[in-house]
């Protein structure tokens, strides 16, 4: 039997545990071309909020009654697909479930870093690392001496962005929620400065930390953090919109200070990033990131919960900001 | 004597005639390296509103008591600069005045199209044409088959953008204020469709005119026109912020629907354009545009007023939307 986390009602805003249920379904018989993957790690990502909302997203929402869409990593335990022999380690859109049947189309990577933990294929060597790598390089284009500001700076994506920007010779300023995350930014991830967005005056803190203004803003939050950053951008600044974590709901659509005049006065640009656009280049990023992980030059944190039963409440937990690392769910061995 | 239009008080919002005064000043003696230009045409541009406002702009504001910053075109009538011999036709930041003394640094172009009217060097072969050409090509990157929406579509910049986009094989939809301008869009400038933003429901009109969504939005207005366009952009759309004509004041800073989610969901980008960034490439644009003007493939309209006394009220007039072409002021022969 295959335990699956299914969506049972559509949330307005951030999905809570009660929007999901766990059911058991029989494993189907493999058809030619299919492989059976035993999921070992389930990913919990901020983007999953959007995947269950009815509107304001880049993909069709998960249907009521369907297995929750999610990244997962596992290994092939049975196969009728020559490209996916038994024992292959894979990462892909395999869902919040114990087992997934795949014809390969929902896989994102064959995980070949056999010397590294499989869990990394969902974080620093997964969508988080790929997002940080491509978004910063292609949209951020940091140059040595630039000032780079990162929101959710201690998070699974932000922490990688900060380190890659630092390696590019930038001054790197993180924005995070709370003193503990700010400490992590400095001690673990090498930020030059870290600002607590709970602080009274984020604008004044940005002025002090970025006296010459901001060249690159890697934005995972939108909302009032972005509103404090935008007036401080420099000529030809690049703003990367990677997430909107601070906006609880887009229905009704929220208002904020208009951005047009900032962009015009500074001949700056603001661009949304979707990692799917770079699928044919994932190997390039992994080839760059894996050596940094092995050498310790790229640090990461994981927070691994045990058992499928943790999944339903995991997205709400993520948005509560309580995690201090990439949130994963490890699946126990099947009974 | 040199008649000059000077700024006498700082407007809040759109500058009116009473913010300016006309004074006469003696012509200075030319120093080595200087040339004396007799201005023949003064330009009236939407950007001038920003140049006199205290904040929210890309350059220092015009000082109280100073000659109004403006593009002008004229000819050198006396010279102590070998690069600017008498008779040279020039265009540059020569101010709202009869005569300008220049060392060449405030010139933007030597006007070499002797077969064409000098006035064009302020419009279709001036900042308007240069803006349309570079902004559309470098930021808009229109591809054949794209749907391009242009706001202030019948205006001095918009009308050129529309024609260049059409020549690039795009479906081109204009947004303009009033039936007369919409007629001009179709009959003069070759738009495939023209929408009156005074219409009841601009969103529905955009849906009808752009059934597949919008690939490029050339934005001269910001405000509610942009708010209707943003939800209708396609994947990888490019939004060019060239002006904010519909926002009467940026003090207090206006609010609007947040753009982050649109940009993220569509992996789209929104970029401000300043033509100053392309000064070293102006000749390239003129070489492309002048043949189109000569052949009639690029159409333009001018509205020329007579006499310096028209200048003080000209910006307010422009923002009232009453003009149907590039607004210029022709200077009478000096007495």
């Amino acid at each position: 039997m295959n335990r699956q986390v299914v969506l049972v009602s559509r949330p307005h805003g951030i999905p809570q545990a009660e929007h999901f249920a766990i059911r058991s379904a029989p494993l189907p018989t493999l058809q030619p071309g299919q492989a059976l993957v035993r999921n070992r790690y389930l990913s919990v990502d901020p983007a999953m909020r959007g995947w269950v909302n009815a509107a304001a997203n880049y993909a069709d929402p998960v249907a009521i009654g369907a297995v929750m869409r999610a990244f997962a990593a596992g290994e092939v335990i049975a196969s009728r697909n020559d490209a996916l022999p038994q024992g292959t380690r894979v990462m892909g859109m395999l869902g919040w479930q114990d087992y997934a049947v795949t014809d390969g189309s929902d896989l994102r990577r064959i995980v070949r870093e056999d010397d590294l933990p499989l869990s990394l294929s969902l974080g620093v060597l997964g969508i988080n690392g790929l997002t940080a790598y491509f978004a910063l390089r292609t949209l951020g284009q940091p140059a040595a001496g630039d000032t780079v500001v990162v929101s959710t700076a201690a998070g699974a994506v932000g922490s990688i962005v900060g380190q890659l920007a630092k390696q590019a010779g930038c001054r790197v300023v993180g924005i995070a929620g709370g003193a503990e995350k700010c400490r992590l930014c400095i001690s673990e991830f090498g930020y030059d400065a870290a600002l607590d967005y709970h602080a009274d005056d984020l604008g004044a803190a940005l002025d002090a930390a970025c006296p010459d203004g901001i060249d690159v803003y890697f934005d995972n939050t939108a909302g009032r953090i972005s509103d404090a950053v935008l007036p401080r951008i420099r000529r030809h600044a690049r703003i990367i919109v990677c997430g909107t974590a601070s906006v609880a709901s887009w229905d009704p659509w929220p208002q904020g200070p208009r951005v047009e005049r900032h962009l015009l006065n500074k001949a700056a640009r603001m661009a949304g990033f979707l990692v799917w656009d770079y699928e044919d280049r994932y190997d390039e990023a992994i080839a760059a990131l894996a050596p940094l992980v092995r050498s310790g030059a790229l640090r990461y944190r994981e927070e691994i919960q045990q058992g499928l039963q943790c999944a339903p409440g995991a997205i709400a937990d993520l948005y509560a900001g309580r995690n201090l690392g990439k949130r994963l769910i490890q699946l126990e061995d099947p009974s």
Side-chain angles (χ1 to χ4, degrees), chain A:
Chain A
M1 295 297 280
N2 184 19
R3 291 179 310 153
Q4 303 175 311
V5 179
V6 299
L7 184 68
V8 293
S9 62
R10 195 162 300 289
H12 185 89
I14 294 165
Q16 307 292 322
E18 64 262 29
H19 297 107
F20 299 98
I22 295 178
R23 72 171 181 208
S24 284
L27 280 174
T29 307
L30 289 184
Q31 301 301 312
Q34 291 182 332
L36 181 66
V37 176
R38 167 58 185 162
N39 283 337
R40 298 295 181 194
Y41 293 95
L42 307 180
S43 192
V44 184
D45 293 293
M48 297 170 81
R49 174 182 66 159
W51 302 347
V52 298
N53 283 157
N57 216 279
Y58 47 81
D60 290 334
V62 176
I64 300 296
V67 175
M68 181 58 196
R69 186 184 301 161
F71 288 103
E75 58 186 81
V76 174
I77 57 170
S79 182
R80 297 185 67 185
N81 181 323
D82 291 344
L84 296 169
Q86 196 176 328
T88 305
R89 304 202 311 168
V90 298
M91 183 277 279
M93 211 57 117
L94 298 170
W96 271 356
Q97 55 186 342
D98 282 328
Y99 299 92
V101 173
T102 180
D103 63 2
S105 62
D106 41 12
L107 298 182
R108 291 295 173 271
R109 285 219 301 125
I110 306 285
V111 181
R112 302 183 199 280
E113 307 83 56
D114 289 337
D115 59 321
L116 293 171
L118 180 62
S119 61
L120 300 193
S121 73
L122 293 173
V124 67
L125 298 180
I127 293 303
N128 304 140
L130 295 164
T131 294
Y133 178 88
F134 287 113
L136 185 65
R137 286 170 73 98
T138 62
L139 300 183
Q141 300 174 344
D146 279 355
T147 296
V148 177
V149 170
V150 183
S151 65
T152 71
V157 172
S159 62
I160 304 170
V161 171
Q163 293 176 85
L164 294 179
K166 188 72 190 167
Q167 290 175 17
C170 301
R171 172 170 173 77
V172 188
V173 176
I175 303 175
E180 188 173 5
K181 286 181 183 174
C182 285
R183 273 195 301 274
L184 263 186
C185 284
I186 305 286
S187 63
E188 288 258 323
F189 302 127
Y191 283 85
D192 295 294
L195 314 180
D196 184 352
Y197 67 79
H198 298 139
D200 285 357
D201 189 341
L202 183 58
L206 281 166
D207 283 339
C210 311
D212 299 324
I214 296 161
D215 298 286
V216 177
Y217 171 44
F218 197 102
D219 176 23
N220 285 305
T221 62
R224 74 172 184 85
I225 293 174
S226 296
D227 299 343
V229 170
L230 265 284
R232 294 170 171 85
I233 58 173
R234 295 185 69 187
R235 192 77 176 260
H236 299 150
R238 289 82 69 194
I239 298 161
I240 305 150
V241 182
C242 189
T244 62
S246 78
V247 178
S249 171
W250 293 87
D251 179 20
W253 203 274
Q255 304 267 313
R258 286 195 172 276
V259 300
E260 291 97 328
R261 198 75 217 171
H262 295 304
L263 299 180
L264 179 56
N265 285 345
K266 302 297 168 57
R269 70 166 187 244
M270 190 170 182
F273 177 84
L274 292 177
V275 71
W276 332 112
D277 285 342
Y278 297 84
E279 284 190 355
D280 58 350
R281 293 175 59 190
Y282 283 179
D283 287 346
E284 165 197 334
I286 299 300
L289 296 173
L292 297 175
V293 170
R294 290 191 183 98
S295 73
L298 184 58
R299 305 184 68 164
Y300 59 91
R301 288 176 72 99
E302 296 179 323
E303 269 196 16
I304 304 180
Q305 295 184 313
Q306 298 296 324
L308 189 77
Q309 72 283 355
C310 299
I315 302 170
D317 214 41
L318 197 69
Y319 275 92
R322 285 190 283 264
N323 58 306
L324 290 173
K326 168 68 180 184
R327 173 61 58 90
L328 296 169
I329 294 165
Q330 186 169 18
L331 299 184
E332 61 268 49
D333 270 334
S335 54

